[in-house]
Amino acid sequence: MKEHPPRSVLLASPRSFCAGVERAIEIVERLLDQRGGPIYVRKQIVHNVHVVRSLEARGAVFVEELSEVPFGATAVFSAHGVSPAVRAEARLRDLDVLDATCPLVTKVHAEARRFSERGDTIVLIGHAGHEEVEGTLGEAPDQMVLVETVEDVLALDITGPVSYLTQTTLAVDETLEVIAALEQKFPQLRGPGSDDICYATTNRQIAIREVAEQSDLVLVVGSKNSSNSVRMVELAARGGTPAYLIDDASEIDPEWLAGVSSVGLSAGASAPPELVDEVVAALEALGSVTVSTHTTAVETIAFTLPLAVRRAG
C-alpha cells in the first residue's frame, strides 16, 4: 500500500483561554475550594460546555436567573456581565455576589454610563440576545439602540448627539464597516477612547486569518454559543477556506479531511487548551501528521482576582 505523506497541522497562536476567561473560571474554582458547593452561577460562566460540565462536577450550579438562587446564597456573575437591574435583584435577595465580569466588558459598561450622562443616544453594535449585549443595554435602556449590520444603521432615525459602543467579541472587519456607516450617517459621531473589541478577540482573528491562508481546512474548537469562536469560523470561511466549529475531537467528520493536506487549528477564547491537544491526537490517529505553530502575537495580560477570593487563595 502506498504511504501517504504526513498531513500538516498548523496551530494558530494565540488560541484558547484569554485573561478574562481564566479569571472568571478561577473565581468559581476558588470559591468551590474555600466554601464548597453549591456555588450558584448566573448563566454560563463562559460560553463553553466543557468548562460548565467540569465546574458542575465540582459543585457549581448554573442558573438562568437569580430567582433560582436561594436567599443569602453565594452567587457569581458570569464573564459576560449583567445589567444594573440584575445587580439590584441580587441585593434584594441578599446574595453574596462575586463578580466575574471581564474587566474589558466592565469598561464598555462604564462608557455606556458616561455617554448616557452627557445625553447621547448610544448605538450599540452587537448581536441581539447575547448576554454581554443584554447587560450593556441595561446600563441605559432608554438611550441605547442595538444595530448588527450596515442596513440597521441606514434605518436609524436619531436626532441629537450620537455615540457608539461595541460588543467585545465581534468580527473586527465587519464591525469597522458598521462604524464607517455610522460615521457617514452621523458626522459628529463619538466613540470610545479605545476599541471595545477586546485584544484576545482581535488577536485570535488575526491568527486564524493567516493560518487559514496556509490551510486546506480550518477547525476551531469552541461551543456554538461562543461569539468569538463563531466569528473565527466565519472569518476563515470568508477567505475561502472550509471551516468548522467543533466542541471537541469527537465532532471531527473524517470526510472533511478527504484530499486535505494541511489543517489549520485554533480555539476560541473560552475553550480549554487541552481540547486542542485532543484534536491533534485525533488527527494523528487518522494518519501521520506534522505539527507546527504560527504565532502572530504573544499575550501577557492577566487580570486581578476579587479580594474575597484572593484572601484565602
Side-chain angles (χ1 to χ4, degrees):
M1 180 182 296
K2 182 179 179 181
E3 186 173 332
H4 294 283
R7 179 181 288 122
S8 66
V9 176
L10 185 56
L11 297 173
S13 180
R15 62 181 179 276
S16 297
F17 284 169
C18 64
V21 165
E22 290 177 337
R23 175 181 181 272
I25 294 170
E26 188 170 358
I27 287 171
V28 179
E29 289 176 337
R30 289 198 180 203
L31 282 172
L32 290 167
D33 289 341
Q34 294 167 14
R35 307 182 188 185
I39 298 295
Y40 294 89
V41 184
R42 184 184 182 275
K43 308 291 186 180
Q44 292 187 353
I45 185 68
V46 299
H47 285 157
N48 186 270
V49 63
H50 290 278
V51 170
V52 169
R53 287 174 184 166
S54 174
L55 293 173
E56 281 179 333
R58 295 184 55 182
V61 177
F62 292 88
V63 300
E64 284 300 303
E65 300 299 341
L66 293 183
S67 59
E68 302 170 57
V69 181
F71 278 81
T74 299
V76 179
F77 293 152
S78 80
H80 307 104
V82 299
S83 68
V86 172
R87 296 182 186 278
E89 183 183 1
R91 290 191 292 272
L92 288 174
R93 299 184 68 81
D94 195 28
L95 300 181
D96 182 6
V97 171
L98 276 292
D99 190 355
T101 302
C102 174
L104 299 179
V105 175
T106 299
K107 164 186 173 289
V108 179
H109 282 230
E111 289 166 339
R113 293 191 296 271
R114 180 164 60 88
F115 292 171
S116 67
E117 287 167 2
R118 72 188 184 196
D120 291 9
T121 296
I122 306 164
V123 179
L124 176 62
I125 305 169
H127 295 292
H130 191 280
E131 289 156 36
E132 180 187 329
V133 165
E134 291 178 348
T136 304
L137 287 171
E139 292 287 355
D142 297 329
Q143 290 173 248
M144 204 174 302
V145 59
L146 178 67
V147 300
E148 298 190 48
T149 64
V150 170
E151 289 71 28
D152 292 339
V153 171
L154 298 178
L156 290 175
D157 183 14
I158 300 173
T159 57
V162 180
S163 56
Y164 78 89
L165 297 170
T166 80
Q167 184 179 333
T168 62
T169 55
L170 299 178
V172 176
D173 52 357
E174 292 181 344
T175 303
L176 289 175
E177 293 175 3
V178 177
I179 293 171
L182 281 170
E183 290 173 334
Q184 184 168 0
K185 189 175 180 72
F186 305 105
Q188 303 304 313
L189 180 75
R190 293 186 286 185
S194 59
D195 288 344
D196 286 336
I197 296 179
C198 84
Y199 76 94
T201 295
T202 301
N203 286 348
R204 280 152 188 73
Q205 289 180 16
I206 291 171
I208 200 64
R209 179 189 289 114
E210 294 189 11
V211 163
E213 291 172 353
Q214 304 173 56
S215 305
D216 300 321
L217 170 75
V218 164
L219 299 176
V220 176
V221 181
S223 291
K224 307 299 184 287
N225 61 339
S226 167
S227 176
N228 77 89
S229 301
V230 172
R231 303 290 86 75
M232 290 165 67
V233 172
E234 292 173 346
L235 182 62
R238 281 202 303 275
T241 305
Y244 298 94
L245 181 64
I246 56 174
D247 253 314
D248 52 49
S250 70
E251 295 187 354
I252 298 173
D253 185 342
E255 292 186 4
W256 298 342
L257 300 169
V260 168
S261 61
S262 57
V263 178
L265 178 58
S266 189
S270 50
E274 58 266 24
L275 296 178
V276 176
D277 298 336
E278 292 171 8
V279 170
V280 172
L283 293 173
E284 289 173 337
L286 294 172
S288 177
V289 302
T290 60
V291 181
S292 59
T293 300
H294 181 80
T295 301
T296 56
V298 176
E299 295 177 348
T300 58
I301 291 175
F303 294 130
T304 304
L305 293 169
L307 185 60
V309 292
R310 273 188 279 153
R311 281 194 184 119

